[in-house]
Structures are given as structure tokens and as C-alpha cells.
Amino acid sequence: MNKIAPHLDGVATVGIAGHVNPDGDCVGSVMGLYLYLTENYPKLTVDVYLEHVRPEFYYLKKIEDVKDSWDGETKYDLFILLDTSSKDRIGVAFDAFEMADKTICIDHHVSNRGFANENHIVPDASSASETLYELLEEEKITLPVAEALYTGIIHDSGVFQYSCTGPRTMEIAGKLMAKGVPFAKIIDESFNQKTYVQQQILGRTLMESIRLMDGKCIVGIVTKKQMDFYGITKKDLDGIASHLRMTKGVEVAMFVYETGIQEYKVSLRSNCYVDVSKIAAEFGGGGHIRAAGCTMNGNVYDVINNLTYYIDKMLKDSDD
Ligand code: 5GP
Ligand code: MN
């Protein structure tokens, strides 16, 4: 796919969505495309779907248009998914996607096998927002679109520090900045700022973390009981895995939190040489080389033991 425009020929209705538990890149790319289409193609009817959007993204224009469920009727000529690596990650818009006449997926996950009619997957891109930018006409990118895309890029690149950041990422960020994006405000309000309880749970998890494999692996755990105590949800745990990764000597960081009875969500991060997407894929998950995740069943010790088996193997393989 070169540009999005030819795919809109003969299309009257468009649905747009991202993945479950939307992160900054998901919200940024979904809203970027929504704003781009509504501002440049006024004849199109466009609906946008996302699961609960966190308040730190409320500065995005028309965020109030987001629907969190499908009405069970509306059939779209075209449905476009962003940042969504597999069908089981679609969430609230799953049925609308299945019912649509034509589907497109725009993504940057290496694990994406291409489940839509048309798939535009660029694993080298920093973010789905960067991938989307390349499909748009530069002169049609208005300030609200630029704000959304900039948000997505800074979130998935960790403000241009993760290895997924490339020269092109910086060029695009520069072009968006030239459109007047209030970059310092966006970085601070949507990325840096944490609520007091988010800081508390982060601090507690770091304090109670354990190191394995000569300090090359670090494990952080949050139980359901702790989440209830602090009155927090899974969205408040964002960023803890990345903080664990910053520990000197660590190659792989594992962050595990309880999501149900004998059920844990796992976030994996690596620094230099372990491909954590391969470890996540062993347990039905996916993601990127340096950031991946999966959901696992069993008690917390089963979960950690099953993961450390693969981590240990990969650390040893890389020693050879
Ligand atoms: P996080 O650890 O922040 O939840 O996710 C890190 C990366 O791994 C994200 O790019 C996300 O898309 C991917 N990821 C996390 N959990 C899962 C999962 O259960 N399945 C798949 N396929 N990817 C996941
Ligand atoms: Mn992404």
C-alpha cells in the first residue's frame, strides 16, 4: 500500500479501531486517521471505536466521538484497524470488523500475520502512527492530526529512546513539530505524568522486585489484592515493565500482574540481545523484539518458572 486515498474510492462508510487496552500509539494512530478522514473527506461517514481511553489522552481533538461498543447493525464499506497484531486483539470492534465489506490493517508488529483483506505492516517503523503517517498526504495533515500522530510516536518510541526509533522517526517528528504540535506539553501530560497511586505502585513493585540469573533477569509482581488496596486498574501499571528494564545489569525484565483466578498478564522487556517477542509467542502472545506480552494461566510461581526457563535458555544461547 502506498497511500490511503486510492482505498477510499467508492467508499461511503468507514469504521476505525485499534486494540484492546489501547496504549498511546493505538489511541494516537486511531485518532490520527479519524481526524484526517473527517477533516479531508467530509462526505465520508466515519466511526471510531476504542476501549476505554485514559484521561491523559483527552487533549486529542474529537476524542469525545469515540464509541466503546458497536450497535450490532452498522455495516461499513471499509474497516481500518491500527496497531492491532492479531484478530483476538481487536476487542470492542471485532464484530464490526468481521461484518465490513473490506478490511485494512495498518501495523508495525513483527508478529502480525496479515489477517485483513489488505495489510500494511512495517516492522521497522517505531509505531503504527509512523506507519500511518507514510500513507497520508503531508499537506492534508492538520494540527489535530499531527498532535495525534506525535502522541503515538512518542509513546511507542519512549520519547525517541527505544531501539525502534529510526532516522525516519525523527524526520517525521520534525515535520509534525513544524506544524505547531505542542510537543513539551504532550510529552509531559501524556507520557511523563503519573498519578500519586501510580507512583506508589511503581515504587512498591521496584522495591519488592527480585533478580535472577546473576542479575540479568528482573521480576516484578503485582497481585489483585495490591491493586484493590490502591484502587487501581491495569491501566495504572503501564510503564512499570520499562522501569524494571532500566536496572543496571538487567537484560530481560518481566512484569507480571494478576488478572483473574490463576491468570496473569505478562509484560516482557529486553535491553540488547534477547528477542522477547519469541518468548511471548511461546505462550500465545506477541509483540516486538524489545517489548512483548502474553497472558498465562497457573499460580504466579508456575508463570515465572515457565518464563524463566525460556529466558535462561535465550541468555545462555547468546553466551555461545
Ligand atoms: P505491554 O507489555 O506494554 O502490554 O505490551 C508490549 C507489546 O507487546 C505491545 O506492542 C503489545 O502489542 C504486545 N503485547 C502485549 N500483550 C500481548 C498479547 O497478549 N498478545 C500479543 N499478540 N501481543 C501482546
Ligand atoms: Mn504500537
Side-chain angles (χ1 to χ4, degrees):
M1 191 187 294
N2 242 332
K3 291 284 170 200
I4 203 96
H7 296 271
L8 302 172
D9 285 348
V11 166
T13 58
V14 182
I16 303 173
H19 59 75
V20 287
N21 195 17
D23 57 11
D25 181 35
C26 178
V27 177
S29 57
V30 163
M31 288 310 293
L33 181 60
Y34 176 68
L35 292 164
Y36 183 88
L37 294 183
T38 50
E39 289 177 357
N40 293 295
Y41 298 86
K43 285 192 186 130
L44 279 182
T45 301
V46 190
D47 286 336
V48 59
Y49 297 90
L50 281 171
E51 201 181 276
H52 178 75
V53 176
R54 280 181 260 154
E56 60 258 36
F57 300 117
Y58 286 179
Y59 60 86
L60 293 172
K61 195 175 166 194
K62 292 192 184 169
I63 195 79
E64 65 280 4
D65 290 0
V66 171
K67 297 174 193 290
D68 61 5
S69 64
W70 180 53
D71 61 9
E73 281 173 17
T74 312
K75 201 167 172 296
Y76 297 99
D77 298 335
L78 175 63
F79 205 97
I80 306 175
L81 279 179
L82 292 125
D83 201 33
T84 307
S85 58
S86 55
K87 265 194 179 184
D88 61 319
R89 306 253 311 147
I90 302 177
V92 293
F94 182 82
D95 293 328
F97 172 85
E98 289 282 273
M99 289 272 291
D101 282 343
K102 199 184 156 205
T103 58
I104 294 177
C105 183
I106 299 166
D107 188 24
H108 69 125
H109 288 91
V110 70
S111 54
N112 192 322
R113 299 255 167 97
F115 56 90
N117 300 139
E118 191 77 48
N119 299 280
H120 186 71
I121 300 149
V122 186
D124 289 343
S126 67
S127 52
S129 302
E130 178 178 328
T131 310
L132 171 63
Y133 173 92
E134 306 282 20
L135 300 175
L136 309 180
E137 317 285 340
E138 159 71 21
E139 68 280 3
K140 288 187 176 156
I141 298 178
T142 57
L143 179 57
V145 175
E147 285 175 351
L149 297 179
Y150 192 88
T151 299
I153 291 172
I154 59 140
H155 275 259
D156 258 24
S157 69
V159 194
F160 313 112
Q161 64 170 310
Y162 303 150
S163 60
C164 62
T165 311
R168 185 66 185 148
T169 317
M170 306 307 282
E171 275 169 23
I172 295 170
K175 291 195 177 195
L176 299 174
M177 196 184 264
K179 288 181 188 278
V181 166
F183 57 91
K185 185 169 175 278
I186 289 181
I187 293 169
D188 216 40
E189 285 182 16
S190 78
F191 190 82
N192 292 339
Q193 264 182 25
K194 302 250 178 255
T195 63
Y196 185 58
V197 281
Q198 284 168 350
Q199 297 281 52
Q200 283 185 302
I201 194 74
L202 166 67
R204 181 164 173 176
T205 310
L206 294 177
M207 199 165 69
E208 293 172 358
S209 65
I210 45 176
R211 286 187 300 168
L212 308 166
M213 303 165 207
D214 294 330
K216 290 197 183 90
C217 177
I218 191 164
V219 183
I221 304 164
V222 170
T223 63
K224 183 83 182 44
K225 209 170 142 189
Q226 287 170 337
M227 288 171 74
D228 291 344
F229 176 80
Y230 290 101
I232 53 173
T233 66
K234 59 186 178 181
K235 292 175 181 65
D236 296 306
L237 305 174
D238 238 36
I240 296 183
S242 300
H243 267 276
L244 287 163
R245 179 193 64 86
M246 288 179 213
T247 313
K248 206 169 170 72
V250 161
E251 171 56 19
V252 179
M254 183 200 301
F255 175 57
V256 178
Y257 66 91
E258 200 174 359
T259 46
I261 297 160
Q262 301 264 314
E263 188 190 85
Y264 289 85
K265 178 83 185 96
V266 178
S267 284
L268 296 169
R269 299 290 184 270
S270 68
N271 271 315
C272 294
Y273 50 90
V274 170
D275 180 350
V276 286
S277 74
K278 283 193 185 151
I279 301 170
E282 291 285 346
F283 302 99
H288 312 283
I289 297 173
R290 301 279 168 258
C294 57
T295 296
M296 290 173 70
N297 295 104
N299 67 38
V300 72
Y301 303 106
D302 297 333
V303 168
I304 292 170
N305 284 336
N306 285 330
L307 285 162
T308 49
Y309 170 79
Y310 284 98
I311 295 170
D312 195 38
K313 217 163 91 154
M314 290 182 85
L315 285 170
K316 284 193 176 126
D317 284 352
S318 56
D319 282 344
D320 297 341

mmCIF file of all heavy atoms in Angstrom, residues 82 139 192 212 253 311:
data_model
loop_
_atom_site.group_PDB
_atom_site.id
_atom_site.type_symbol
_atom_site.label_atom_id
_atom_site.label_comp_id
_atom_site.label_asym_id
_atom_site.label_seq_id
_atom_site.Cartn_x
_atom_site.Cartn_y
_atom_site.Cartn_z
ATOM 1 N N LEU A 82 -5.784 -0.260 13.322
ATOM 2 C CA LEU A 82 -4.428 0.255 13.505
ATOM 3 C C LEU A 82 -3.771 -0.398 14.719
ATOM 4 O O LEU A 82 -4.448 -0.670 15.725
ATOM 5 C CB LEU A 82 -4.462 1.775 13.687
ATOM 6 C CG LEU A 82 -4.889 2.481 12.390
ATOM 7 C CD1 LEU A 82 -6.059 3.379 12.629
ATOM 8 C CD2 LEU A 82 -3.731 3.199 11.747
ATOM 9 N N GLU A 139 0.438 17.485 3.051
ATOM 10 C CA GLU A 139 -0.244 18.786 3.097
ATOM 11 C C GLU A 139 -1.653 18.684 3.692
ATOM 12 O O GLU A 139 -2.244 19.691 4.072
ATOM 13 C CB GLU A 139 -0.267 19.460 1.709
ATOM 14 C CG GLU A 139 -1.126 18.781 0.652
ATOM 15 C CD GLU A 139 -0.447 17.566 -0.011
ATOM 16 O OE1 GLU A 139 0.677 17.206 0.400
ATOM 17 O OE2 GLU A 139 -1.065 16.971 -0.906
ATOM 18 N N ASN A 192 4.965 11.451 30.682
ATOM 19 C CA ASN A 192 5.721 11.508 31.948
ATOM 20 C C ASN A 192 4.843 11.476 33.192
ATOM 21 O O ASN A 192 5.152 10.785 34.153
ATOM 22 C CB ASN A 192 6.567 12.782 32.005
ATOM 23 C CG ASN A 192 7.695 12.758 30.994
ATOM 24 O OD1 ASN A 192 8.093 11.690 30.526
ATOM 25 N ND2 ASN A 192 8.207 13.921 30.646
ATOM 26 N N LEU A 212 17.155 -12.577 39.114
ATOM 27 C CA LEU A 212 17.524 -13.966 38.862
ATOM 28 C C LEU A 212 18.652 -13.975 37.837
ATOM 29 O O LEU A 212 18.916 -12.952 37.197
ATOM 30 C CB LEU A 212 16.319 -14.736 38.283
ATOM 31 C CG LEU A 212 14.999 -14.650 39.055
ATOM 32 C CD1 LEU A 212 13.853 -15.164 38.185
ATOM 33 C CD2 LEU A 212 15.086 -15.449 40.345
ATOM 34 N N ALA A 253 13.500 -7.909 31.553
ATOM 35 C CA ALA A 253 12.610 -7.547 32.658
ATOM 36 C C ALA A 253 11.264 -8.215 32.433
ATOM 37 O O ALA A 253 10.753 -8.237 31.308
ATOM 38 C CB ALA A 253 12.440 -6.040 32.725
ATOM 39 N N ILE A 311 13.809 -17.704 29.181
ATOM 40 C CA ILE A 311 14.732 -16.572 29.297
ATOM 41 C C ILE A 311 16.152 -17.079 29.544
ATOM 42 O O ILE A 311 17.111 -16.654 28.893
ATOM 43 C CB ILE A 311 14.273 -15.605 30.422
ATOM 44 C CG1 ILE A 311 12.925 -14.977 30.047
ATOM 45 C CG2 ILE A 311 15.322 -14.519 30.677
ATOM 46 C CD1 ILE A 311 12.258 -14.198 31.159
#
